[in-house]
């Protein structure tokens, strides 16, 4: 299994792309990809965010699960439209203080999954 740097190297090699090409196709900064490629994933204390990893997967034409695995992260579960609608409906029914509690709880859960 590739780590994130090896995965980026493999994509560049297989597609005969430069880092700039991958950056342009994924909507990421070349400097970000360079740091990931060189093994410096310090784009935050927990490594690359899920949003950036998804951008890399889309731009590289690689399955999201493969990119998340290479980054040492669990793949977030997909959410269908009905689940999203239901969660948003519930969230909107709460007052601002309760929404902040839910947000803090979700943030803590997200961080736990990153470790």
């Amino acid at each position: 299994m590739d780590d994130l740097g090896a995965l980026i190297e493999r994509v560049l090699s297989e597609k005969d792309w430069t880092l700039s090409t991958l950056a342009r196709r994924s909507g990421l900064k070349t400097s970000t990809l360079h740091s990931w490629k060189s093994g410096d994933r310090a784009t935050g204390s927990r490594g690359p965010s899920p949003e950036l990893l998804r951008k890399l997967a889309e731009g590289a034409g690689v399955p999201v699960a493969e990119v998340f695995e290479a980054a040492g992260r669990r793949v977030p579960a997909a959410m269908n439209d009905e689940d999203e609608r239901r969660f948003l409906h519930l969230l909107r029914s709460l007052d601002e203080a309760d929404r902040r509690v839910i947000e803090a709880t979700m943030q803590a859960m997200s961080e736990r999954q990153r470790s």
Side-chain angles (χ1 to χ4, degrees):
M1 177 191 339
D2 292 337
D3 67 9
L4 193 56
L7 181 135
I8 291 169
E9 279 287 342
R10 181 171 53 82
V11 167
L12 297 177
S13 176
E14 287 176 358
K15 298 183 183 276
D16 195 29
W17 287 352
T18 64
L19 208 53
S20 295
T21 302
L22 180 56
R24 186 175 61 256
R25 288 177 168 267
S26 61
L28 297 169
K29 294 179 181 177
T30 304
S31 60
T32 297
L33 291 174
H34 184 276
S35 79
W36 293 353
K37 184 173 160 269
S38 64
D40 175 20
R41 292 193 261 163
T43 57
S45 60
R46 291 171 224 93
S49 71
E51 296 80 24
L52 296 181
L53 292 174
R54 286 183 190 284
K55 284 183 165 189
L56 174 60
E58 185 176 318
V62 174
V64 171
E66 187 175 342
V67 173
F68 272 71
E69 283 182 25
R73 303 280 296 273
R74 289 182 11 185
V75 179
M79 182 179 287
N80 65 41
D81 290 343
E82 180 58 28
D83 285 345
E84 185 174 347
R85 186 199 61 72
R86 192 175 76 252
F87 276 102
L88 285 174
H89 175 75
L90 291 169
L91 189 62
R92 288 180 181 131
S93 70
L94 302 175
D95 65 24
E96 186 174 341
D98 286 342
R99 283 196 304 264
R100 296 295 162 242
V101 170
I102 296 298
E103 180 181 8
T105 302
M106 292 173 71
Q107 185 67 38
M109 293 170 77
S110 178
E111 290 175 8
R112 187 187 72 218
Q113 288 194 13
R114 293 180 186 183
S115 57

